[in-house]
Amino acid sequence: MADSWDAGTKQTVQKIPLLTVRAGPRDKEEWGKRLKEELQALIKYIQLNKASDSDWFTITSNKEGTHWSGKCWYVHELQKYTFDFQFDVPATYPAVAPEIEIPELDGKTAKMYRGGKICLTVHFKPLWAKNSPHFGIAHALCLGLAPWMAAEIPHLVGTGVVQPKT
Amino acid sequence: MADQKTAALQDELHKLQEQVNRLSATSIDAQVGKLSEQVQRINRRVEAALAGKLESDVSTSGVTAARSKIDKMSAEVVDSNPYSRLMALQRMGIVKDYERIREKTVAVVGMGGVGSVAAEMLTRCGIGKLLMYDYDKVELANMNRLFFRPDQAGMTKTDAAAQTLEGINPDVRLESYTMNITTLEGFDAFKQTLVDDAGASRVDLVLSCVDNYEARMTINQVCLELGQTWMESGVSEDAVSGHIQVIIPGETACFACVPPLVVASGIDERTLKREGVCAASLPTTMGIIAGLLVQNTLKYLLNFGQVTQYLGYSSLKDFFPSMQIKPNPGCVNPLCGKLQAAYQAHANSPEARAAAAAARALEQAEQNTAVVHEDNEWLIEVVPDEEVAASEAHLHQAQGLPEGLEYSMPVAAMDAQMLNADAVEDTEDNVDDLMAQLHLLHST
């Protein structure tokens, strides 16, 4: 499974700090600690991206850190394609990974579940299981959303489903 | 057809009335009473037949009125008794008291290709109460599976199911819940529907018929918190294999104890084409899994046969692996660990040991009396099949996976040293500070 990752992604994910607190949003006290770790890992990941001139998303959350949203973009043939993404932290997190949604692509690709959830079953979920609870939101974006866009956006552009916004 | 029937009934009515008239002068009162009662009954039937004829003349839907409710299950063998074939299970010695099924409550989570069919089976079996959960709507893309009809497209799956099931068996009390159980709010709402006022579970069994890991983990957590037995079911994304699994908190492995067990597809994974689709499905595989699930449910609820803890189905090789999955003492879910300890303490108590011994003795006694032949002229005897005995021994080997089963995900494992070196560093900043830092990053 891990062999199929491109060298860049592999190198980057290894630099994202690992999380240590096993707690989800239902664990009132411990969730605060976990949330701090999540934010630290995200900050580090964005700094890494900026340093290598490969910044590709913004993200923000509600006060409780249970709902996240942002913008992600992908450059294909010199065109930049930007999408809104969002997800809720599941009740049983971090045993299960967050289910990232791109609502505006709902129904436009087969590699998506109801409500615009991107399909991560094959390439990402086993990795999450293996590294639970040490992977966090930053890892989900790096190993889940980024490769999904890299595979799907060129295809959607090629078939004319997605057009550059002018 | 209806005219002939009506005419025949009226004819009979006239004859009876004549009989009554002739008898009235000479016969005993009781006999008259009996006959006029009969006349009244026939009168009602004639009226009903006429009304039915009128109704079918004007209605174009073709849907006939459903039967009325039935207070008590009858074992009477008549065409009009919807329970006669089920109550026959009692006469044949399979089930001791079939009617107990009316006291049972089952929650079906996920009304897809497996859940909707399981719900129909339970409804036809006369289950007492059925709780149904789904967040989705019926679509034409679901029509390759059983149960839902094209004219129900656009309805919520729970509403569409309630509509069909009410017509099939009005005796079943249906509750439908349109909700997504994996979110924070959904989790609490789901748990709330399963408990009574005192906070204890009000269901006898939860059936998981969902199609994703997140929902299974949610059901696992809720059932651990309620000490509720549940059954998991699943069909592979390539639609050619499936499984069912019984989870008794503390006694068996919980869903988080070991990675999910699935049936190996039996074909080289690399030859599988996954391009372009997330999941395939077949009415056959889903119907078979629903059948296995509800069969196990009936055995569990009505105490007959053997409740299988894990049963797999590989359609490509027509292979049914089965096994026991012991709880993992190192389960990552702390509640599972506590329940395991409680179960062990209970199992080792003198009362539990005595009860287990009594159950074994009873089983032995039943086995000894099972086969009775008055004579055996040809001295025929049954000898155990060595191969079967050997394969059973193999199954009992602790946690070794039997042939044909595999974990669908890797076991969580991270080197402690690596974790130490790569973990986030301690920080004095609080959540608000960090959120502000994150926000600032986006504007630079």
Side-chain angles (χ1 to χ4, degrees):
Chain A
M1 187 64 58
D3 316 328
S4 60
W5 297 101
D6 64 282
T9 305
K10 219 167 157 181
Q11 233 172 21
T12 311
V13 79
Q14 280 168 353
K15 289 186 195 147
I16 302 174
L18 295 167
L19 286 67
T20 61
V21 180
R22 187 193 296 278
R26 293 182 74 239
D27 308 296
K28 296 282 174 274
E29 201 109 314
E30 290 291 289
W31 174 241
K33 292 183 194 165
R34 172 84 189 191
L35 186 54
K36 264 174 71 171
E37 292 193 332
E38 295 281 3
L39 289 161
Q40 284 177 272
L42 276 167
I43 289 168
K44 183 70 198 271
Y45 180 38
I46 295 169
Q47 284 169 342
L48 285 169
N49 287 339
K50 284 183 183 283
S52 63
D53 201 22
S54 56
D55 201 22
W56 67 275
F57 70 92
T58 64
I59 191 166
T60 174
S61 81
N62 61 356
K63 197 161 65 51
E64 297 78 24
T66 53
H67 180 82
W68 297 74
S69 59
K71 286 188 188 302
C72 57
W73 54 90
Y74 186 79
V75 177
H76 176 63
E77 289 172 350
L78 303 177
Q79 278 283 354
K80 185 176 170 184
Y81 299 88
T82 306
F83 306 95
D84 288 326
F85 72 91
Q86 61 176 37
F87 59 88
D88 285 303
V89 177
T92 51
Y93 188 83
V96 306
E99 296 183 279
I100 302 167
E101 302 162 19
I102 307 180
E104 65 193 277
L105 294 181
D106 190 12
K108 292 185 176 170
T109 158
K111 292 187 182 175
M112 202 166 239
Y113 292 115
R114 185 95 46 254
K117 288 173 183 167
I118 64 172
C119 179
L120 297 173
T121 316
V122 179
H123 76 277
F124 173 65
K125 297 260 172 95
L127 262 180
W128 182 276
K130 194 174 173 189
N131 294 288
S132 171
H134 308 301
F135 273 9
I137 291 164
H139 299 85
L141 295 174
C142 179
L143 295 172
L145 183 57
W148 188 90
M149 286 210 298
E152 236 8 56
I153 303 308
H155 175 69
L156 289 172
V157 172
T159 53
V161 176
V162 166
Q163 265 136 25
K165 286 166 197 165
T166 47
Chain B
M1 215 28 217
D3 285 334
Q4 270 179 20
K5 214 166 126 190
T6 313
L9 281 166
Q10 268 167 337
D11 199 36
E12 203 179 334
L13 181 71
H14 283 306
K15 276 187 202 156
L16 278 165
Q17 255 163 348
E18 274 169 26
Q19 226 175 329
V20 173
N21 291 341
R22 257 183 287 136
L23 283 168
S24 59
T26 53
S27 290
I28 323 152
D29 286 353
Q31 226 173 338
V32 176
K34 213 169 142 189
L35 277 169
S36 54
E37 234 173 66
Q38 221 174 332
V39 170
Q40 272 169 21
R41 253 206 316 271
I42 291 167
N43 245 331
R44 280 199 296 274
R45 278 171 67 186
V46 170
E47 274 165 27
L50 283 170
K53 185 177 171 285
L54 283 175
E55 212 167 82
S56 65
D57 282 346
V58 291
S59 93
T60 51
S61 69
V63 178
T64 48
R67 67 168 170 87
S68 52
K69 291 189 182 188
I70 293 172
D71 281 340
K72 193 164 166 39
M73 281 187 178
S74 155
E76 196 191 354
V77 185
V78 287
D79 295 350
S80 58
N81 177 8
Y83 295 119
S84 58
R85 308 296 169 108
L86 291 166
M87 295 297 278
L89 286 166
Q90 242 169 260
R91 223 180 11 257
M92 297 193 178
I94 302 294
V95 181
K96 277 214 176 71
D97 179 9
Y98 187 84
E99 203 167 0
R100 270 180 306 152
I101 199 160
R102 304 194 91 168
E103 296 152 20
K104 305 293 181 186
T105 300
V106 173
V108 179
V109 187
M111 294 296 287
V114 174
S116 61
V117 177
E120 178 174 346
M121 287 175 173
L122 288 167
T123 299
R124 289 185 187 272
C125 285
I127 193 81
K129 194 186 277 181
L130 196 60
L131 280 53
M132 302 177 287
Y133 300 80
D134 205 293
Y135 70 97
D136 219 348
K137 287 191 167 129
V138 179
E139 291 176 347
L140 290 179
N142 304 141
M143 294 307 138
N144 70 320
R145 279 151 269 175
L146 305 175
F147 190 71
F148 291 116
R149 300 186 307 268
D151 60 272
Q152 293 175 319
M155 293 176 77
T156 64
K157 287 186 176 174
T158 45
D159 282 349
Q163 182 190 53
T164 304
L165 298 178
E166 246 160 31
I168 291 172
N169 188 344
D171 297 333
V172 179
R173 281 162 293 157
L174 299 169
E175 290 181 20
S176 42
Y177 299 99
T178 309
M179 57 165 77
N180 175 2
I181 63 168
T182 61
T183 62
L184 210 49
E185 301 78 36
F187 184 100
D188 291 331
F190 172 50
K191 191 175 168 188
Q192 211 54 46
T193 62
L194 291 175
V195 296
D196 57 21
D197 294 337
S201 175
R202 65 183 182 112
V203 304
D204 295 285
L205 189 66
V206 174
L207 298 182
S208 162
C209 304
V210 297
D211 63 357
N212 64 86
Y213 182 66
E214 291 75 17
R216 289 185 173 93
M217 287 296 274
T218 300
I219 296 168
N220 188 57
Q221 183 64 30
V222 167
C223 288
L224 281 174
E225 289 177 16
L226 296 176
Q228 174 62 54
T229 297
W230 63 288
M231 287 188 199
E232 134 77 2
S233 69
V235 174
S236 63
E237 289 215 326
D238 58 17
V240 291
S241 59
H243 67 269
I244 61 164
Q245 179 180 349
V246 180
I247 293 160
I248 309 170
E251 188 177 333
T252 71
C254 87
F255 199 71
C257 272
V258 289
L261 260 179
V262 295
V263 178
S265 63
I267 41 175
D268 189 340
E269 288 280 326
R270 282 164 303 182
T271 65
L272 276 181
K273 267 197 155 54
R274 294 192 194 269
E275 287 305 309
V277 280
C278 263
S281 63
L282 279 171
T284 47
T285 313
M286 291 193 151
I288 287 163
I289 295 301
L292 293 176
L293 180 67
V294 176
Q295 194 80 297
N296 222 30
T297 297
L298 293 174
K299 289 194 284 183
Y300 174 78
L301 293 177
L302 301 174
N303 310 94
F304 66 98
Q306 208 176 349
V307 178
T308 304
Q309 205 216 320
Y310 186 99
L311 179 60
Y313 166 55
S314 156
S315 78
L316 297 184
K317 297 190 166 178
D318 279 340
F319 179 52
F320 294 82
S322 94
M323 73 174 301
Q324 304 278 323
I325 314 171
K326 290 182 187 149
N328 174 7
C331 180
V332 294
N333 190 312
L335 185 52
C336 177
K338 269 185 217 159
L339 291 166
Q340 284 181 40
Y343 174 76
Q344 282 309 325
H346 174 75
N348 290 330
S349 70
E351 301 86 38
R353 279 166 188 269
R360 269 198 304 277
L362 187 70
E363 200 181 322
Q364 201 87 52
E366 274 178 6
Q367 266 174 10
N368 289 344
T369 56
V371 187
V372 182
H373 297 288
E374 282 179 357
D375 52 17
N376 188 1
E377 196 183 338
W378 308 101
L379 299 174
I380 293 165
E381 59 178 321
V382 180
V383 293
D385 188 331
E386 272 172 42
E387 236 171 87
V388 171
S391 77
E392 271 175 15
H394 176 71
L395 281 188
H396 286 98
Q397 280 174 7
Q399 300 298 15
L401 292 188
E403 192 197 333
L405 293 181
E406 63 186 16
Y407 292 125
S408 66
M409 282 188 194
V411 183
M414 185 167 291
D415 186 30
Q417 226 170 1
M418 180 179 146
L419 182 59
N420 267 338
D422 297 336
V424 283
E425 286 158 17
D426 282 338
T427 174
E428 294 294 309
D429 297 335
N430 62 29
V431 166
D432 292 337
D433 298 335
L434 291 166
M435 280 185 177
Q437 285 174 34
L438 183 66
H439 188 71
L440 203 65
L441 265 179
H442 293 326
S443 50
T444 54

